[in-house]
Amino acid sequence: MASFGTWTSCRGLLRLLILGAIAHLTRALYEDQIGTFDWRQHYIGRAKHGSFDSSSLDRIIIATESNVLAAISAKTGDILWRQVLEKSPRGDIKMLHVPSLTNGIQFGGSRSNRAFDIITVTGVSPALIRGWNPNTGTLEWEWSLVPTSLEKAEHSFWFLEDSLLYNVVPVWGSHLEVTEYQASSGQQPKQTTSRISAAWIKPERCIMSSSFFVCTIDRQLLALDLTAENPQVTMRDLDIPASNSPMPVVGDASIIQDSKLYSLTSDRKLDLASDDSVLVDDTIIEGEQVLLRASLQRESNILKLSANRLKDNSSFEPIEFNSDYPDTLGSPKVLSVRCKTSNSGRTQGQLACRLLISSTDGAISLIQQGKIKWTREEALAEIETADFLDLTLSDAEGAIEEELNNKNGDVVGAFQRRITNQIAHLKNLILHVLGLGPAPSKAQRAGLVRDDFGLHKMLVAVTSSGKVFGIDNVSGKHHWIRYIPQLVGFNNGQGMKLLVQRTSRFYPLSAQCIILGRHRDTKNGLMYQFNPITGQPINGGLIELPYKVRQISLLHETGPDFIRGLLVLDQQSEAHVYPESAAKFANNFYLFSADREKAIIDGFVVEYSNGRLSTTPTWSVNLSGAERGQQIVAIESKNPIEHVHSQGRVLSDRSVLYKYINPNLIAVATHGPDNIHKYILNVHLVDVVSGSIVFSMSHKRIRPPLHMIHSENWLVYSYYNDKVRRTEITSVELYEGKTQTNGTAWSSLDAPPLPLVERQSYIMPVAVASMKETITEKGITNKHVLIGLTTGTVAEMSWAFLDPRRPVTSPEKAREEGIIPYMPELPMPHEILFNYNQTVANIKGIHTAPSGLESTCLVLVHGLDIFVTRVAPSKTFDLLKEDFDYFLITVVLTLLTSTSYIVKHFASKKAIKQAWK
């Protein structure tokens, strides 16, 4: 019996092993193409606080402005772990404390001691105090603090001293409220809150530096040590009146005010350059504080690091160096330093230092022994706009294009060029086989040539810091980087604009793009012209405009150089065109401008006569409502490169319901308070040429966020329904009817008939973060709606589910048209999540672009991460499958061809025999 039981248990174990192997194979079947057509890059955002972890030589702890706490490797710069906190303002990191090794404390075993945890303070109401495990990034403990007055708590400060966490709440012009807490538990050693009289404190003039509350007012520096038993005001005179708020010095009780360093514990005062970054460290030399100063010499792109002992201001040469600093990085800021004495090799006894640098463009770099070891381009966590650009032709294809462009009617010359090119191609082929061919061009060496199907493109990404990237959409490699520190976005919530003036299709002319934004200092318009394939500036690159920009648009017509002119409308409603040679194409050009706060839209027409441009206001629409409380929250126009393949929709009775396709139509959404329904969302469809409102609808008790898509004859937008507390999506379709007004050209000035409107609302099971429609080259492929969810996934929703003509019941006519019955809940199966487990944290936007294949659409999903892939809404109907059997089809075609010739021979013989009878 014992042996039988043993055999039974062994047999059961064997079955489990076999099932486990089968399950593993089944899982691998779904993962075989991961990373083949897509890639993802992780980022953490612009660094706010940073420090080397004293418990590990290979770990740096960083808190960022994107509400991320992360650990990155000091050797490679890779992310070891990352915690994405709540969105602003609840997730704003107010304080980061990384424990240091003191008094010979050694770490070992498990990390259960709370004294070794990383401590963060985030948010205001409530303020969340958390302890994190530095090894794994897991949350160890947490407690919250709810303020009694939210208005006062918004300006509160936090600092840690001797395991006590201090919360400092300033009451401007009156006093300071200081409360002590046990950092890990939240218990109060003192049951009362200390009130320190300080009538001199003013907003935007005070900061915390170590345990000192510091204010600089006029020519005086006033400081309070909040950890003292009886805090006394320390006063010092400033050399010049304070022009802005002071800046704290990392590692010391000091401040920087107007390029001077003032110590709060002594009379020490040092002169600094305007862009110097300063850090004080007491671990480089035991018992001594060392002042590190990083100075950037932009003319020679050299970063100079100098060190001085604070006790006597003497130079400390072992860690002084000059490092090459690329022009793609902004002004540096020293976050942390770690030094150690080498114990082996030729460098035994020498001091080796690592310097953690954060630059104004958002990058994070590590400098070791005077060389940049690695750089993380964290500006890509803040992409404002992006586009896919076609690559240039190869040398062989370029030669063919040059041959085809010679259309002078000379047949003999064309034939000679054809023979000459064929001979040259054959010669190059032979030399290439022998290894003696000409060297490939720079674009070919980098792989930047157009492929057969147009799937390989250049992804140009523009970030909020003014940094522009040229990224390979196939591999994710950064081919070029440009940093424009003067360029920022517009102040009305609109980011910088990326416009394509000429693509790479006009060989041998190179592609040309333009970025339009504001000048950081003057607030006037600023343009940057560049080649999107190489990243090189064109005509000097930067163009400073002497006016503020109100509206921009690309002209429709081009000249002999195929450059589309840029029409700019300034604040005085005057029109300008760049380049000026394209001004003649702006004649009778209609455009509009919107005031979001006042909810007013104005229309203009631009005319060109006698070499001058003039602008005439044509209409104005006020959408603010009767109580003037509505504000514009979204404006969506159609994609200018969109093609409409089908002009109508076939009904069950074989008649055609023609689409209302108005290229001048925009969707405008306004939102505001209401006395009865709390909030009201109004959506208007406005013709921007005539100013007529084609259609309007209202939604009651609706709150943002609002995301909108406008394409062809339909509109889709999502919102939050405050009444039932859920996210909903509304779809609208416009039709002309069963007769088409004009099938060749559309004119908004001919008063076209009002459209027939179909609309329907659906329930989304997950909150929406962004929306975008797919787009293809000819518009033949079905349209799908890409919905970015707050969970980090992106759903590819078929239009059949969002169709507003879905009937409540399922009559016979609907079945014949292929319309599915109406269901209020939209399905969310895992099959439609095309980024599977490659989630994108904090999705901000989705960008789509057509490829050379009609079936395929290129997709960029950006947020804290970047995800690039391709989708095929109607499957890859114009592309052979990967497992296509070429051998079989070759054999079949050969047999069919051979059989046809054999049958032809026998048929001819049979015909001859019949003719002789």
Side-chain angles (χ1 to χ4, degrees):
M1 294 294 291
S3 60
F4 178 76
T6 304
W7 166 249
T8 304
S9 61
C10 291
R11 188 171 58 180
L13 180 61
L14 182 61
R15 288 178 177 176
L16 288 176
L17 290 175
I18 294 174
L19 288 175
I22 295 174
H24 179 74
L25 292 175
T26 304
R27 184 184 65 177
L29 185 65
Y30 293 94
E31 296 181 354
D32 58 346
Q33 290 188 341
I34 289 179
T36 304
F37 305 116
D38 58 72
W39 52 266
R40 180 181 60 164
Q41 294 177 353
H42 290 289
Y43 297 98
I44 59 177
R46 188 191 302 267
K48 193 175 184 179
H49 309 284
S51 177
F52 287 93
D53 188 0
S54 57
S55 64
S56 174
L57 296 176
D58 187 35
R59 188 161 54 228
I60 302 173
I61 308 299
I62 294 181
T64 70
E65 295 180 3
S66 300
N67 303 344
V68 175
L69 177 68
I72 60 177
S73 171
K75 295 180 180 178
T76 62
D78 297 334
I79 299 176
L80 301 177
W81 55 261
R82 181 182 71 170
Q83 291 290 347
V84 181
L85 307 181
E86 298 85 357
K87 292 186 178 181
S88 298
R90 188 176 182 182
D92 291 339
I93 301 177
K94 305 292 185 181
M95 189 202 78
L96 170 67
H97 171 73
V98 180
S100 59
L101 287 173
T102 57
N103 301 326
I105 297 177
Q106 300 293 329
F107 293 92
S110 62
R111 307 278 302 199
S112 59
N113 194 330
R114 292 188 172 186
F116 301 149
D117 291 336
I118 300 168
I119 300 177
T120 60
V121 179
T122 58
V124 174
S125 179
L128 299 176
I129 298 86
R130 292 163 168 159
W132 308 87
N133 188 314
N135 284 335
T136 60
T138 55
L139 181 64
E140 300 282 357
W141 48 267
E142 177 186 37
W143 57 276
S144 61
L145 177 66
V146 179
T148 57
S149 174
L150 177 59
E151 183 178 356
K152 293 189 297 183
E154 288 180 349
H155 306 282
S156 61
F157 300 91
W158 298 82
F159 70 93
L160 190 70
E161 187 79 21
D162 296 332
S163 73
L164 290 178
L165 187 64
Y166 291 81
N167 180 26
V168 182
V169 180
V171 180
W172 303 118
S174 178
H175 61 276
L176 295 173
E177 298 178 358
V178 183
T179 310
E180 301 177 13
Y181 300 94
Q182 292 289 344
S184 59
S185 63
Q187 297 180 353
Q188 294 182 242
K190 299 179 181 179
Q191 299 301 321
T192 60
T193 298
S194 302
R195 292 176 177 263
I196 303 174
S197 178
W200 38 269
I201 60 176
K202 295 182 180 180
E204 298 181 357
R205 288 293 183 179
C206 303
I207 60 166
M208 285 296 305
S209 178
S210 185
S211 61
F212 286 83
F213 190 84
V214 191
C215 296
T216 53
I217 302 172
D218 296 332
R219 283 183 172 270
Q220 282 191 326
L221 183 153
L222 302 98
L224 273 171
D225 186 0
L226 301 181
T227 58
E229 293 184 2
N230 295 313
Q232 300 294 326
V233 179
T234 302
M235 302 179 61
R236 291 188 61 182
D237 293 333
L238 301 175
D239 293 347
I240 58 175
S243 59
N244 48 27
S245 60
M247 296 177 56
V249 176
V250 179
D252 188 40
S254 304
I255 66 161
I256 298 176
Q257 180 68 58
D258 297 321
S259 301
K260 289 185 181 294
L261 185 144
Y262 297 90
S263 174
L264 303 176
T265 57
S266 65
D267 295 334
R268 184 173 62 249
K269 180 174 63 174
L270 298 175
D271 293 331
L272 305 173
S274 59
D275 56 351
D276 278 0
S277 178
V278 175
L279 178 142
V280 176
D281 194 275
D282 57 0
T283 61
I284 299 176
I285 308 175
E286 295 184 1
E288 292 189 37
Q289 288 185 319
V290 177
L291 175 70
L292 302 177
R293 181 187 306 180
S295 303
L296 176 62
Q297 301 173 3
R298 181 54 76 182
E299 296 79 11
S300 55
N301 287 330
I302 296 295
L303 179 65
K304 181 179 180 181
L305 181 70
S306 58
N308 299 85
R309 295 180 177 88
L310 280 181
K311 64 177 183 179
D312 54 5
N313 202 27
S314 60
S315 177
F316 186 66
E317 297 180 356
I319 60 173
E320 294 182 350
F321 60 81
N322 291 339
S323 173
D324 293 333
Y325 197 78
D327 55 2
T328 58
L329 299 179
S331 300
K333 177 184 178 182
V334 182
L335 295 178
S336 184
V337 64
R338 166 175 282 185
C339 298
K340 69 172 183 177
T341 304
S342 178
N343 297 322
S344 61
R346 298 180 180 179
T347 60
Q348 184 174 1
Q350 295 183 5
L351 199 63
C353 293
R354 289 176 172 177
L355 204 66
L356 183 64
I357 297 289
S358 172
S359 51
T360 54
D361 63 294
I364 302 174
S365 306
L366 184 79
I367 299 179
Q368 182 173 332
Q369 298 301 100
K371 296 182 180 179
I372 296 181
K373 190 173 183 180
W374 50 259
T375 298
R376 292 187 56 85
E377 296 292 352
E378 295 300 333
L380 286 171
E382 302 173 347
I383 293 179
E384 287 196 350
T385 182
D387 202 354
F388 291 90
L389 278 302
D390 290 326
L391 297 175
T392 56
L393 296 173
S394 63
D395 295 340
E397 292 174 337
I400 295 175
E401 287 289 333
E402 286 185 349
E403 180 183 351
L404 295 177
N405 285 336
N406 293 322
K407 299 178 180 178
N408 51 8
D410 186 7
V411 178
V412 177
F415 178 74
Q416 291 178 348
R417 286 191 298 271
R418 176 75 273 179
I419 298 299
T420 304
N421 288 334
Q422 293 289 354
I423 295 173
H425 291 164
L426 180 61
K427 177 182 176 182
N428 291 334
L429 177 61
I430 296 173
L431 292 177
H432 178 72
V433 172
L434 298 176
L436 303 175
S441 62
K442 184 177 180 181
Q444 288 179 328
R445 289 196 302 270
L448 298 179
V449 291
R450 194 181 308 170
D451 60 333
D452 294 334
F453 298 126
L455 297 172
H456 190 192
K457 296 196 176 188
M458 179 68 73
L459 172 59
V460 179
V462 184
T463 65
S464 59
S465 62
K467 208 165 189 178
V468 189
F469 294 84
I471 306 174
D472 194 315
N473 79 311
V474 174
S475 62
K477 178 183 177 182
H478 299 174
H479 286 289
W480 55 264
I481 303 174
R482 291 291 180 271
Y483 178 46
I484 314 166
Q486 307 96 328
L487 190 63
V488 296
F490 297 97
N491 59 354
N492 57 354
Q494 297 291 318
M496 290 172 277
K497 303 299 179 182
L498 173 62
L499 305 170
V500 182
Q501 291 186 292
R502 183 174 59 204
T503 65
S504 299
R505 298 186 178 184
F506 304 101
Y507 188 87
L509 299 175
S510 61
Q512 179 172 328
C513 289
I514 190 168
I515 301 174
L516 182 64
R518 286 190 309 155
H519 195 284
R520 188 181 298 272
D521 300 325
T522 64
K523 310 303 180 185
N524 289 336
L526 184 64
M527 295 192 302
Y528 179 68
Q529 293 178 324
F530 65 101
N531 185 330
I533 309 302
T534 63
Q536 297 299 322
I538 297 177
N539 298 328
L542 284 177
I543 301 176
E544 296 187 19
L545 306 180
Y547 49 80
K548 291 181 173 61
V549 177
R550 183 177 181 181
Q551 183 62 285
I552 58 171
S553 180
L554 282 176
L555 300 179
H556 304 306
E557 300 181 47
T558 62
D561 56 355
F562 302 102
I563 287 286
R564 296 181 64 184
L566 178 65
L567 177 64
V568 182
L569 189 70
D570 62 17
Q571 292 291 347
Q572 283 71 38
S573 299
E574 296 183 3
H576 312 268
V577 174
Y578 298 92
E580 296 182 358
S581 59
K584 58 184 178 181
F585 301 120
N587 189 33
N588 290 331
F589 191 89
Y590 291 85
L591 72 162
F592 72 97
S593 176
D595 189 330
R596 289 178 174 264
E597 294 184 357
K598 297 180 180 179
I600 297 177
I601 304 177
D602 299 314
F604 304 89
V605 60
V606 180
E607 297 178 347
Y608 178 80
S609 61
N610 300 325
R612 296 188 61 183
L613 290 170
S614 60
T615 307
T616 305
T618 54
W619 56 268
S620 180
V621 175
N622 192 333
L623 303 176
S624 60
E627 299 181 359
R628 300 293 188 262
Q630 294 279 315
Q631 293 185 351
I632 296 177
V633 293
I635 299 178
E636 196 68 31
S637 59
K638 298 180 182 180
N639 196 327
I641 64 173
E642 179 183 68
H643 288 82
V644 181
H645 177 70
S646 176
Q647 296 290 327
R649 182 168 184 168
V650 180
L651 303 180
S652 59
D653 58 356
R654 300 301 181 264
S655 62
V656 177
L657 187 61
Y658 289 99
K659 299 177 182 178
Y660 182 84
I661 301 175
N662 184 351
N664 306 317
L665 202 65
I666 65 169
V668 182
T670 62
H671 185 265
D674 184 76
N675 295 330
I676 301 176
H677 305 290
K678 292 186 178 179
Y679 305 100
I680 285 186
L681 173 70
N682 296 321
V683 178
H684 310 274
L685 296 176
V686 183
D687 190 310
V688 295
V689 171
S690 62
S692 60
I693 298 179
V694 176
F695 179 70
S696 295
M697 51 189 162
S698 297
H699 301 271
K700 302 171 183 177
R701 297 191 65 175
I702 298 301
R703 290 195 290 112
L706 177 75
H707 305 283
M708 186 179 294
I709 302 175
H710 190 197
S711 176
E712 291 192 2
N713 68 318
W714 52 266
L715 174 71
V716 173
Y717 55 95
S718 67
Y719 49 85
Y720 183 78
N721 192 326
D722 198 32
K723 181 179 181 180
V724 292
R725 299 188 178 182
R726 67 190 181 198
T727 300
E728 297 179 355
I729 290 182
T730 296
S731 60
V732 180
E733 269 190 324
L734 307 177
Y735 293 97
E736 287 191 49
K738 295 190 177 182
T739 57
Q740 195 171 16
T741 305
N742 192 333
T744 57
W746 178 274
S747 176
S748 297
L749 302 178
D750 291 341
L754 292 178
L756 306 175
V757 180
E758 300 280 354
R759 50 181 169 172
Q760 192 61 269
S761 295
Y762 301 93
I763 301 171
M764 274 293 293
V766 188
V768 177
S770 182
M771 296 176 66
K772 192 69 176 179
E773 82 279 8
T774 59
I775 184 171
T776 54
E777 185 129 358
K778 302 299 182 181
I780 301 174
T781 307
N782 293 334
K783 288 276 188 179
H784 281 192
V785 177
L786 307 182
I787 306 175
L789 308 176
T790 54
T791 57
T793 57
V794 185
E796 185 181 359
M797 186 71 66
S798 173
W799 178 252
F801 292 104
L802 297 172
D803 193 342
R805 299 185 71 245
R806 290 177 60 182
V808 178
T809 59
S810 182
E812 190 68 24
K813 294 182 179 180
R815 284 198 296 268
E816 290 185 8
E817 291 183 35
I819 304 176
I820 59 179
Y822 174 76
M823 289 288 290
E825 297 86 3
L826 288 174
M828 198 64 63
H830 292 290
E831 292 80 10
I832 69 173
L833 306 178
F834 64 80
N835 64 332
Y836 44 100
N837 63 346
Q838 307 290 330
T839 56
V840 180
N842 295 343
I843 294 178
K844 298 178 182 177
I846 303 174
H847 181 77
T848 58
S851 66
L853 289 173
E854 172 57 30
S855 64
T856 307
C857 172
L858 305 178
V859 180
L860 163 69
V861 184
H862 64 88
L864 192 60
D865 305 324
I866 294 178
F867 180 74
V868 174
T869 186
R870 59 182 79 159
V871 295
S874 299
K875 307 300 181 183
T876 53
F877 58 85
D878 53 358
L879 193 66
L880 294 176
K881 296 182 179 180
E882 292 180 353
D883 57 351
F884 183 79
D885 198 337
Y886 293 93
F887 177 76
L888 178 61
I889 196 66
T890 303
V891 171
V892 171
L893 289 176
T894 303
L895 290 175
L896 289 175
T897 305
S898 303
T899 305
S900 64
Y901 276 102
I902 295 172
V903 171
K904 180 181 179 181
H905 174 69
F906 285 112
S908 62
K909 289 180 66 175
K910 183 179 180 181
I912 292 174
K913 289 181 179 181
Q914 289 180 350
W916 282 99
K917 289 182 179 180

